[in-house]
Amino acid sequence: MIKNILKLIRIEQYLKNLFIFAPIFFSFQFSSINFINAIIAFILFSLMASAVYVVNDIYDIKVDKIHPDKKKRPIASNLISITEAYLIFLVLAVISLTGSYIFNIAVFYTLIIYLSINILYSIKLKNIPIIDIMIIGIGFVLRLFAGGYAINEMITMWIISLTFILSMFIALA
């Protein structure tokens, strides 16, 4: 069961969350407290990203069952039931939101926005061209904001713009 849960929450996708560390790098605010705060934000964002992957797999179950690769995912292959998946989602989201509320209220609001946008994405928006890739770009920008809020550093319009454009390019590629 643990192996299936780990596959469901897609830990390998946590690399995307390294964008949380960009504000430390670009602001030259290298300190142990900033690094620790960025790690906390990274963990909280990663838990929320995993919750989002679970929701996405729940909504995509019918399509995933007939896809040559995605049919092997834990929900599509019935290794994890829909009920278990909702429970996993709930646990991950509650831990992430509770932790972020205690840690930094701005990170909490960032995660609420990330969760809301991605639930809408899973339900409907991924089927609307251009909007789907824009949401991917917004997700990367929200990672920047989480990192900036974690270290109490403002994010510049340049890094926001470049991150959004880069993520859109990656999504289109």
Side-chain angles (χ1 to χ4, degrees), residues 3-131:
K3 179 181 167 186
N4 294 327
I5 291 172
L6 292 175
K7 188 174 179 183
L8 176 66
I9 65 173
R10 301 185 201 162
I11 293 172
E12 70 279 1
Q13 296 292 326
Y14 288 3
L15 286 174
K16 296 174 188 174
N17 299 331
L18 292 175
F19 274 78
I20 289 167
F21 293 93
I24 291 175
F25 179 77
F26 289 109
S27 68
F28 300 103
Q29 298 298 319
F30 303 106
S31 71
S32 57
I33 191 69
N34 280 349
F35 189 67
I36 290 167
N37 285 343
I39 289 172
I40 292 168
F42 176 87
I43 292 167
L44 295 169
F45 210 103
S46 295
L47 292 172
M48 185 57 76
S50 286
V52 164
Y53 290 132
V54 173
V55 167
N56 189 60
D57 284 359
I58 290 169
Y59 279 96
D60 283 353
I61 190 168
K62 289 180 184 175
V63 176
D64 287 354
K65 281 183 180 276
I66 59 174
H67 189 276
D69 293 323
K70 294 179 182 181
K71 69 181 179 184
K72 298 173 188 169
R73 289 183 176 172
I75 298 173
S77 62
N78 296 319
L79 295 171
I80 293 179
S81 71
I82 298 290
T83 303
E84 291 167 331
Y86 275 117
L87 182 60
I88 292 165
F89 160 76
L90 190 60
V91 168
L92 293 168
V94 167
I95 291 170
S96 178
L97 292 174
T98 303
S100 63
Y101 186 82
I102 294 166
F103 169 64
N104 182 307
I105 196 69
V107 173
F108 169 79
Y109 288 127
T110 304
L111 288 172
I112 290 281
I113 293 167
Y114 179 79
L115 176 62
S116 301
I117 288 171
N118 279 285
I119 287 175
L120 291 171
Y121 174 84
S122 293
I123 293 171
K124 184 73 176 162
L125 298 179
K126 71 172 132 193
N127 299 317
I128 303 173
I130 307 299
I131 299 295

